[in-house]
Amino acid sequence: MEIKQWYEGEKPWIIAGPCSAETEEQMMETVEGLVNQGITTIRAGIWKPRTRPNSFEGVGKKAFPWIKKAKEIFKVQFAIEVASAQHVEMALENDIDILWVGARTTVNPFNVQEIADALKNATDKTVFVKNPINPDLNLWIGALERFHQAGITKLGAIHRGFSTYQESIYRNIPLWQIPIDLKSRYPELLLICDPSHIAGKRDLLFEIAQKAMNLRYDGLIIESHRDPAAAWSDAAQQLTPANLRVLLDKLQIRDLTFPSEKFQNELDHFRDEIDETDKELLEVLARRLELVKKVGTYKKDKNVAIFQLERWNTILQNRPEWGNQLNLNPEFVKTLYQAIHDESIRIQTDIYHEGE
Ligand SMILES: C=C(O[C@@H]1C=C(C(=O)O)C=C[C@H]1O)C(=O)O
């Protein structure tokens, strides 16, 4: 997939609006509030995919006349979620500017293809693809590819976090490495962060939005409602337009270019040192894995099991402590050793099966 840059507007691109369109009055007031804060791309859900039945599932096509009116009065662009070919047809008939595919739809290639096919005669539309609910980069890329193949060039990816069964401070854990990998594969792909769905609550929004700016995201899509406490969906994570402005004004936007040659030289100097350190690190790692091989051969001779639970528990216990004394984050050290141990087991398994 060859992705070309197409977005020429201001960065970060701020897209904001209510989780759901509720009433004409709520839409008009919210859009007016956002326009007063300088925001001209509005989001609103009109069909809401809900986890459990009997929740508010959106007002549906009733919202189109409100959107039309808001577009005429406030000269804004509108983005809505579509989950079927029928949604696409209605969105096109009603002159919606941006369509996004939600996380629950991205997981299903049949649905995604159906939506892409429905856009065959509207390839000038902007389409955003939210990450799938499960942490699967290929599924996300696959959905983007389906739209690319259908001829959509104004493509973007929205990072809204991933579902997890574990306890987390986030509603959807961000797993930043996944969008970073996406950006590394497709540097020109427009990447937008959705702090609202990652956070699930207002007090985490700023931290997530700032992180996205630190990671060079191109934009933010944030839920905003004239009266968040009274919202029919996602009340805990929406901001008033005025509070959204406060958040945006606090954000530090990072420079994408280097300020001077001197800066570049100094950076190169640090990076040379990092290169040298990494070589040492890999040499040490190779030495460790050579020892693992020796242990493997030794254990194989006596037909002893590869995985040694007690030894592993000791490592898992004291390496994070040793790391902590060196100012290393114990969680990081733990993850690192899990990867190393996985490789040890793989290496020893190969040894045990040698000559079979
Ligand atoms: C190296 C060994 O084999 C495995 C690998 C380990 C490691 O990488 O440190 C630890 C315990 C075992 O599960 C060993 O038994 O000591």
Side-chain angles (χ1 to χ4, degrees):
M1 173 166 65
E2 204 199 318
I3 297 281
K4 292 206 191 79
Q5 224 168 38
W6 57 272
Y7 176 72
E8 287 171 349
E10 225 175 279
K11 281 196 188 171
W13 185 2
I14 306 297
I15 301 158
C19 172
S20 307
E22 297 163 3
T23 63
E24 177 171 344
E25 205 197 356
Q26 168 251 10
M27 283 294 284
M28 298 311 266
E29 259 187 51
T30 304
V31 175
E32 184 176 12
L34 288 166
V35 168
N36 288 340
Q37 302 300 341
I39 290 155
T40 54
T41 311
I42 309 296
R43 58 146 290 148
I46 68 175
W47 297 288
K48 306 297 297 176
R50 305 312 299 268
T51 304
R52 307 278 298 275
N54 309 321
S55 317
F56 169 60
E57 292 188 325
V59 294
K61 60 185 180 189
K62 221 166 75 182
F64 286 125
W66 314 336
I67 292 177
K68 184 164 184 244
K69 192 167 161 191
K71 280 180 65 149
E72 275 166 12
I73 297 178
F74 299 110
K75 311 278 175 257
V76 287
Q77 282 201 305
F78 251 91
I80 67 165
E81 173 171 352
V82 289
S84 67
Q86 202 197 3
H87 288 170
V88 173
E89 276 160 32
M90 283 193 258
L92 295 179
E93 274 165 25
N94 287 283
D95 205 20
I96 298 298
D97 308 278
I98 301 167
L99 312 182
W100 85 78
V101 174
R104 290 172 177 79
T105 306
T106 306
V107 293
N108 185 335
F110 289 130
N111 269 16
V112 173
Q113 191 59 52
E114 179 194 310
I115 294 168
D117 290 343
L119 280 161
K120 280 249 159 71
N121 297 321
T123 50
D124 59 331
K125 282 289 163 192
T126 299
V127 176
F128 295 151
V129 179
K130 288 199 172 186
N131 66 255
I133 40 181
N134 53 324
D136 183 340
L137 177 59
N138 282 330
L139 204 49
W140 199 0
I141 291 174
L144 288 159
E145 281 172 339
R146 287 178 197 277
F147 288 105
H148 188 258
Q149 275 182 18
I152 304 286
T153 52
K154 293 188 199 155
L155 261 185
I158 299 179
H159 172 217
R160 52 77 84 190
F162 301 88
S163 283
T164 171
Y165 189 56
Q166 294 148 4
E167 277 290 310
S168 165
I169 56 163
Y170 302 106
R171 175 174 174 191
N172 291 292
I173 50 170
L175 303 178
W176 295 98
Q177 192 57 45
I178 294 176
I180 288 174
D181 286 347
L182 180 68
K183 190 83 179 165
S184 310
R185 295 258 286 270
Y186 303 102
E188 308 284 306
L189 177 67
L190 190 90
L191 181 61
I192 292 172
C193 181
D194 175 348
S196 308
H197 287 89
I198 293 175
K201 46 185 172 305
R202 273 179 285 281
D203 57 358
L204 287 177
L205 291 173
F206 174 75
E207 169 206 315
I208 296 163
Q210 183 61 59
K211 173 121 185 181
M213 294 301 97
N214 296 348
L215 295 176
R216 315 163 62 140
Y217 279 55
D218 302 293
L220 297 169
I221 181 163
I222 303 190
E223 289 183 346
S224 178
H225 190 289
R226 61 168 179 172
D227 181 5
W232 296 4
S233 56
D234 288 357
Q237 69 193 32
Q238 306 202 56
L239 288 176
T240 60
N243 283 337
L244 175 60
R245 186 74 258 164
V246 173
L247 180 149
L248 295 175
D249 286 346
K250 263 203 316 189
L251 278 184
Q252 303 214 27
I253 310 304
R254 309 300 181 190
D255 287 333
L256 292 186
T257 50
F258 292 162
S260 64
E261 207 174 312
K262 183 167 166 276
F263 177 88
Q264 174 78 60
N265 290 340
E266 276 175 18
L267 192 67
D268 285 348
H269 178 72
F270 284 127
R271 287 177 175 173
D272 287 345
E273 266 188 64
I274 289 181
D275 287 352
E276 288 313 308
T277 314
D278 278 348
K279 281 183 202 155
E280 284 173 36
L281 194 65
L282 291 172
E283 276 162 19
V284 174
L285 196 57
R287 230 166 58 220
R288 187 193 195 279
L289 293 175
E290 278 306 316
L291 289 167
V292 165
K293 273 188 204 162
K294 282 191 186 145
V295 174
T297 313
Y298 190 63
K299 288 193 297 194
K300 182 186 179 185
D301 275 353
K302 306 283 180 282
N303 199 31
V304 168
I306 295 181
F307 175 47
Q308 294 291 321
L309 180 64
E310 276 183 20
R311 170 69 175 156
W312 173 232
N313 278 339
T314 310
I315 290 178
L316 215 48
Q317 165 87 39
N318 59 22
R319 269 46 166 186
E321 285 167 14
W322 297 353
N324 203 20
Q325 284 164 17
L326 296 165
N327 265 335
L328 292 170
N329 174 354
E331 275 306 309
F332 159 69
V333 175
K334 183 176 162 195
T335 310
L336 185 64
Y337 270 89
Q338 281 166 334
I340 291 174
H341 186 252
D342 210 36
E343 180 62 1
S344 297
I345 298 292
R346 191 193 64 77
I347 289 173
Q348 293 188 351
T349 304
D350 279 356
I351 292 174
Y352 276 49
H353 292 291
E354 246 166 36
E356 272 178 13

